[in-house]
Amino acid sequence: MTTVLFVHGTGVREPGYGASLERVREGFAAVRPDVVVAPCYWGGEAGSTLGSHGLSIPGYGSGRAVPSPEPDARDVEFWGLLYLDPLLELRLLASGSGPRTELAPGARPAGEALASAALALAGDDVLRGLLDAAGIGGEFAAAVASVVTSPDGRDFLRSPLAAAEPDALVRAFVAESVRRALGDGDAAPPLDGTARDAAVDRAAALLPGETGTHRGPVTRRAGKLAGRLVLGIASAQAVKRRSALTDAAHPAAGDVLLYLARGGAVREAVAAAVREAAPPVVVLAHSLGGIASLDLLVLRELPEVALLVTVGSQAPFLYELGALPSLEHGAPLPAHVPPWINVYDRRDLLAYLGAGVFPGRVRDVEVDGRQPFPLAHSAYWGNPELYRLLAAELP
């Protein structure tokens, strides 16, 4: 029986690791139920911490709360804005909709019917299945209620565009669900972009309005203003939120810096997990975990490891820079390094290719999680395509 050893990447802590581990187990259970997925959690013992409790950071501790067929690439990136501000599109549309039209006596506002139908969406079995697959099923009902009762949501529902743009309302529901799913955890949960898009289509079809010509997230009206909004979101609060930004960023950046300076503890954590696993072992390693796993397999012969799978990893890039701890650029991989598959997503800006720098020793495999960066870096575990591709490769 094959053991898949799941090695996490930089910045991951509990309970985020446990959630990803369960998602990986579910993914393999659907395609290779014979596989045992075993944990390799190194973040607790070998991950970085602020050893002096932030004394090196100006103003630390004064404001730590963090505010809460193929899709067009612009649509995917616009999801990134919606994840930051789920009501963005509704606000832009309502602000450009013009004066409200007068209703005939006794007529029901279109937005009222739309809101009523929206609150009933969670009762649709097909939609619930898609939302669960997207990783946001547990958040959707509360997200709908939050959006339709918010000031921006109410303004949109009262605007003349409400009946013409029900898709925008659904995207707000989904983006708010994602925001709630992300919460304040140390790692982004696995989210399936394909299921997300299917859920939007299903929910929009259940709402009254003009949903026949789906245009994707970037409507013409909203798209004209979105670019200007990015700069405001990015910089206005950066200085006064330095403590919050440090809390959010230092585990990820700190883990990388600590590993490159003193990475033996992470490599030993992987080695110990390999020793405890029943062979043959497949090391499935994400991001920095892929760097540490490759380094370990270069420095130490571990015949029980039958396959290395790196996902969204920077190991090839570090090798090309001459910064891979275990191997200088130009030196070949030792013969004892097992077969290696390197999985990447083009939208994951932290994923790199290995075949060019290690010719004949690594096979690059592309997947598409249909998520904007930086969520693309964590979207692999919610993507069924990954497990289908690996099913035939595992011993």
Side-chain angles (χ1 to χ4, degrees):
M1 182 176 291
T2 298
T3 301
V4 172
L5 190 65
F6 178 45
V7 185
H8 67 81
T10 185
V12 175
R13 302 292 186 267
E14 290 290 13
Y17 176 74
S20 295
L21 176 65
E22 288 308 307
R23 185 62 188 88
V24 171
R25 284 173 171 160
E26 292 170 2
F28 278 115
V31 293
R32 282 289 300 269
D34 58 305
V35 166
V36 173
V37 179
C40 179
Y41 173 59
W42 53 264
E45 294 294 328
S48 64
T49 61
L50 290 174
S52 298
H53 308 292
L55 292 179
S56 63
I57 303 161
Y60 186 80
S62 58
R64 304 177 64 167
V66 180
S68 351
E70 172 72 13
D72 187 286
R74 188 175 55 153
D75 290 353
V76 174
E77 297 311 316
F78 194 67
W79 274 114
L81 287 179
L82 292 180
Y83 291 165
L84 290 173
D85 182 359
L87 300 171
L88 166 65
E89 189 178 7
L90 301 187
R91 193 160 53 248
L92 294 178
L93 290 172
S95 67
S97 64
R100 299 171 188 167
T101 57
E102 292 295 327
L103 292 173
R108 187 185 185 194
E112 185 179 323
L114 196 56
S116 297
L119 292 170
L121 285 173
D124 182 73
D125 290 340
V126 175
L127 178 59
R128 279 204 307 271
L130 292 170
L131 293 168
D132 287 341
I136 55 176
E139 313 292 342
F140 186 74
V144 171
S146 175
V147 169
V148 299
T149 58
S150 68
D152 289 327
R154 290 197 299 268
D155 284 347
F156 173 78
L157 290 168
R158 287 194 296 263
S159 75
L161 284 174
E165 302 281 359
D167 290 355
L169 189 63
V170 173
R171 286 189 287 274
F173 299 156
V174 170
E176 174 63 15
S177 300
V178 170
R179 188 193 68 79
R180 289 167 177 260
L182 293 176
D184 296 321
D186 297 310
L191 302 168
D192 182 352
T194 302
R196 176 205 62 200
D197 294 343
V200 169
D201 290 341
R202 174 65 180 177
L206 295 171
L207 294 180
E210 302 170 16
T211 58
T213 55
H214 178 66
R215 289 171 290 167
V218 183
T219 65
R220 182 179 299 175
R221 299 178 188 86
K224 290 171 67 175
L225 297 176
R228 270 184 281 162
L229 222 67
V230 176
L231 291 177
I233 291 174
S235 61
Q237 302 296 319
V239 173
K240 74 177 184 179
R241 289 173 51 216
R242 182 167 183 175
S243 294
L245 293 171
T246 299
D247 284 347
H250 87 74
D255 284 354
V256 174
L257 295 172
L258 179 60
Y259 178 79
L260 293 177
R262 288 180 289 278
V266 179
R267 291 192 294 271
E268 186 50 46
V270 178
V274 168
R275 289 193 297 269
E276 294 175 5
V281 176
V282 174
V283 175
L284 176 65
H286 181 230
S287 190
L288 178 60
I291 298 172
S293 297
L294 177 63
D295 278 337
L296 171 67
L297 293 169
V298 167
L299 296 170
R300 199 179 307 181
E301 187 169 356
L302 297 175
E304 57 267 57
V305 177
L307 176 66
L308 170 65
V309 179
T310 54
V311 179
S313 184
Q314 307 81 43
F317 184 57
L318 291 185
Y319 174 77
E320 188 172 4
L321 289 174
L324 188 68
S326 64
L327 203 64
E328 293 185 6
H329 180 255
L333 284 179
H336 64 257
V337 174
W340 175 13
I341 295 174
N342 180 60
V343 180
Y344 72 100
D345 184 325
R346 288 182 184 271
R347 293 190 180 94
D348 177 8
L349 305 185
L350 295 175
Y352 293 86
L353 303 176
V357 293
F358 294 112
R361 297 300 307 276
V362 56
R363 178 157 60 92
D364 296 317
V365 175
E366 182 178 3
V367 298
D368 182 4
R370 297 174 70 173
Q371 294 285 3
F373 185 79
L375 283 181
H377 190 54
S378 301
Y380 298 97
W381 315 124
N383 187 352
E385 181 187 7
L386 172 70
Y387 306 102
R388 288 195 294 267
L389 289 170
L390 292 180
E393 306 290 342
L394 303 183

